[in-house]
């Protein structure tokens, strides 16, 4: 069954808006915009999702247009940012049946509010060039509040300008700044980096360099080390370079962009200046063009114990391969702080024969009960993956 019919050819200038996280604006010739699956067919489509034995997937929330990054407050409210929309949503499961029954619009008319983070009762939202704070956001979820500006010091480039944000174990707010291009050497140090600041915007500094476009990072629950995904550059063929899972245990590390990709692939344009040995290689090479986004360590108690402290990565899916890849949730197994295995955990959003997908995973979140949430910006929903040994 064909779930989507392409609506072909808009304009090259809108290209990166609808494709994967690393779409170049001037190096492709067409755009494909796909309609989302009708709500009444989505539960049927979910039967196509493959999971390990004992796991099941269901709809946690529907009608969340362009659902992207997620964060949870201590009271159990799930906040969801968007990239193509201009809104931020708050979702509530009031009766505890694992299905959202209340939805609120927390913010609207924002400039690509992809990133959301919760701290001390306040919701932080990242636009392309600004960080905002919604003070005491849960005092009245029915009212759209006026935010307080935290920082407006970020570049305004839309190319790789959308942001994932999160508070680290040090209490600082981490904010990435993507490269303003597919591949280029910028004179401004802040590009292709991960930055951090105090929650009031002070103390700004660059934490990591050579990061082309990360739209997800997290911290090991025991060591406190940062781990993050990075989208590999485009236009090097179907199978080069790999996207990356990186490990940043300290400040000041450089992960290669734009000179080296995947730890050992010298860039054809910028690679002659430095050797790949001068940079930190990825902890795990991911698939080429899979567009890895959100990731989390599994810290819950619901899944079998062998999943504890493994990494789950949402792969948004490729656009510039002869055969599409990604559109899945992957599991990276760690031993002794090292990645030792990279395998599919949830897949089936992509019909490989038809080369069409009814969904694109964006972010993952581990709930207090141990279930995993997965946001999908194509279907406009949040999934819940749970486990039962029965």
């Amino acid at each position: 069954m064909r779930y989507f019919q392409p609506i072909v050819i808009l304009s090259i200038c809108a290209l990166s808006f609808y494709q994967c996280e690393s779409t170049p604006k001037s190096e492709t010739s067409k755009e494909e915009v796909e309609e989302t699956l009708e709500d009444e067919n989505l539960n049927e489509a979910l039967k196509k999702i493959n999971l390990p034995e004992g796991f099941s997937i269901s709809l946690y929330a529907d009608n969340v247009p362009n659902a992207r990054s997620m964060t949870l407050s201590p009271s159990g409210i799930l906040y969801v940012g968007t990239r193509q929309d201009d809104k931020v949503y708050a979702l509530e499961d009031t009766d505890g049946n694992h299905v959202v029954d209340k939805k609120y619009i927390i913010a609207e008319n924002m400039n690509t509010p992809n990133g959301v983070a919760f701290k001390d009762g306040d919701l932080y939202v990242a636009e392309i060039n600004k960080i905002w704070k919604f003070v005491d956001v849960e005092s009245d979820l029915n009212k759209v509040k006026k935010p307080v500006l935290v920082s407006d010091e970020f570049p305004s480039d839309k190319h790789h300008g959308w942001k994932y944000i999160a508070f680290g174990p040090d209490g600082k707010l981490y904010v990435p700044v993507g490269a303003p291009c597919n591949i280029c050497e910028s004179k401004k140090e802040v590009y292709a980096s991960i930055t951090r600041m105090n929650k009031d915007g002070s103390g700004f500094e660059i934490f990591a360099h050579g990061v082309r476009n990360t739209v997800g990072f997290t911290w090991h629950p025991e060591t406190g080390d940062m781990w993050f995904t990075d989208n590999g550059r485009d236009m090097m063929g179907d199978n080069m370079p790999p996207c990356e899972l990186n490990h940043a245990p300290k400040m000041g590390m450089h992960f290669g962009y734009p000179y080296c990709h995947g730890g050992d692939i010298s860039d054809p344009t910028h690679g002659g200046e430095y050797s790949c040995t001068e940079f930190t290689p990825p902890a795990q090479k991911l698939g080429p063009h899979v567009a890895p986004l959100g990731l989390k360590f599994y810290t819950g108690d619901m899944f079998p114990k062998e999943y504890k402290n493994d990494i789950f990565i949402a792969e948004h899916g490729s656009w510039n391969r002869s055969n599409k890849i990604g559109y899945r949730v992957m599991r990276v197994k760690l031993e002794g702080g090292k990645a030792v295995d990279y395998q599919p955990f949830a897949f089936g959003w992509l019909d490989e024969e038809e080369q069409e997908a009814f969904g694109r995973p964006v972010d993952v979140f581990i709930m207090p009960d141990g279930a995993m949430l997965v946001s999908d910006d194509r279907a406009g929903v949040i999934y819940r993956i749970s486990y039962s040994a029965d």
Side-chain angles (χ1 to χ4, degrees):
M1 179 177 179
R2 300 175 72 91
Y3 292 110
F4 294 94
Q5 295 296 324
I7 302 173
V8 184
I9 312 299
L10 290 182
S11 64
I12 293 177
C13 67
L15 179 63
S16 64
F17 207 61
Y18 291 93
Q19 300 290 353
C20 81
E21 301 305 307
S22 53
T23 308
K25 296 184 177 180
S26 59
E27 300 180 32
T28 69
S29 60
K30 70 175 183 177
E31 175 193 2
E32 206 173 60
V33 181
E34 294 166 301
E35 296 176 344
T36 57
L37 193 64
E38 295 294 331
D39 287 347
E40 58 266 29
N41 296 326
L42 190 54
N43 279 308
E44 187 67 24
L46 283 182
K47 295 177 181 178
K48 297 178 177 291
I49 301 301
N50 294 279
L51 287 159
E53 185 176 356
F55 289 87
S56 60
I57 187 169
S58 60
L59 278 179
Y60 181 73
D62 62 1
N63 193 26
V64 189
N66 195 235
R68 295 277 295 185
S69 300
M70 300 180 288
T71 191
L72 189 75
S73 75
S75 65
I77 306 296
L78 185 75
Y79 296 91
V80 185
T82 62
R83 177 182 159 199
Q84 295 177 14
D85 204 354
D86 63 355
K87 298 178 179 64
V88 176
Y89 297 94
L91 309 178
E92 188 175 13
D93 169 18
T94 62
D95 57 10
N97 69 343
H98 310 304
V99 177
V100 166
D101 47 49
K102 286 191 176 180
K103 181 178 73 172
Y104 310 88
I105 296 175
I106 299 302
E108 55 189 352
N109 300 318
M110 299 195 78
N111 182 14
T112 316
N114 185 88
V116 288
F118 197 90
K119 183 74 169 175
D120 299 332
D122 303 330
L123 179 69
Y124 291 74
V125 177
E127 292 186 301
I128 285 181
N129 63 330
K130 297 177 182 178
I131 307 295
W132 297 94
K133 178 174 66 174
F134 291 80
V135 178
D136 195 16
V137 64
E138 292 180 3
S139 62
D140 186 355
L141 290 173
N142 289 296
K143 181 180 180 181
V144 177
K145 294 181 174 62
K146 184 176 180 179
V148 175
L149 183 65
V150 175
S151 175
D152 60 357
E153 298 298 321
F154 292 95
S156 58
D157 307 76
K158 291 187 175 181
H159 198 120
H160 298 155
W162 52 94
K163 290 173 171 53
Y164 177 94
I165 60 173
F167 282 94
D170 56 6
K172 292 182 180 292
L173 182 63
Y174 286 73
V175 184
V177 179
C181 54
N182 171 35
I183 185 76
C184 61
E185 187 175 25
S186 176
K187 294 181 179 180
K188 294 184 178 180
E189 187 182 21
V190 73
Y191 286 113
S193 75
I194 299 175
T195 73
R196 67 181 179 184
M197 66 182 74
N198 297 322
K199 67 177 185 178
D200 63 359
S202 65
F204 179 89
E205 59 187 352
I206 296 177
F207 176 77
H209 303 267
V211 181
R212 180 176 178 271
N213 181 34
T214 180
V215 196
F217 38 81
T218 191
W219 290 266
H220 192 285
E222 295 176 354
T223 67
D225 291 354
M226 174 186 274
W227 293 70
F228 66 92
T229 56
D230 197 10
N231 284 251
R233 68 153 290 178
D234 300 313
M235 303 305 160
M236 286 183 67
D238 276 1
N239 298 312
M240 291 177 62
C243 292
E244 300 177 4
L245 170 65
N246 289 296
H247 176 203
K250 61 182 180 180
M251 180 178 172
M253 301 173 71
H254 196 297
F255 293 87
Y257 176 88
Y259 314 109
C260 183
H261 313 288
D264 55 11
I265 301 172
S266 183
D267 186 78
T269 303
H270 301 282
E273 189 174 350
Y274 300 99
S275 167
C276 284
T277 60
E278 298 181 53
F279 307 110
T280 302
Q284 175 67 55
K285 295 180 181 181
L286 308 179
H289 310 295
V290 297
L293 304 185
L295 73 164
K296 291 291 185 296
F297 285 90
Y298 185 74
T299 54
D301 295 320
M302 176 188 287
F303 293 7
K305 62 181 181 180
E306 58 264 29
Y307 288 87
K308 196 76 169 184
N309 292 344
D310 285 352
I311 299 174
F312 289 88
I313 302 173
E315 293 187 346
H316 198 222
S318 64
W319 66 273
N320 61 340
R321 291 185 90 247
S322 300
N323 291 297
K324 293 178 180 178
I325 187 175
Y327 306 87
R328 61 196 179 187
V329 177
M330 299 294 286
R331 175 191 178 193
V332 176
K333 185 173 180 59
L334 300 184
E335 290 182 1
K338 304 290 185 182
V340 297
D341 195 29
Y342 166 63
Q343 296 293 335
F345 171 71
F347 62 98
W349 284 276
L350 172 67
D351 184 324
E352 295 189 8
E353 181 177 347
E354 297 292 338
Q355 286 289 284
E356 294 177 352
F358 71 84
R360 301 186 81 176
V362 176
D363 198 10
V364 295
F365 194 91
I366 309 304
M367 294 293 279
D369 67 353
M372 177 190 297
L373 300 185
V374 180
S375 61
D376 180 337
D377 64 353
R378 173 171 290 175
V381 301
I382 310 290
Y383 309 107
R384 181 178 184 267
I385 296 177
S386 59
Y387 175 82
S388 175
D390 298 335

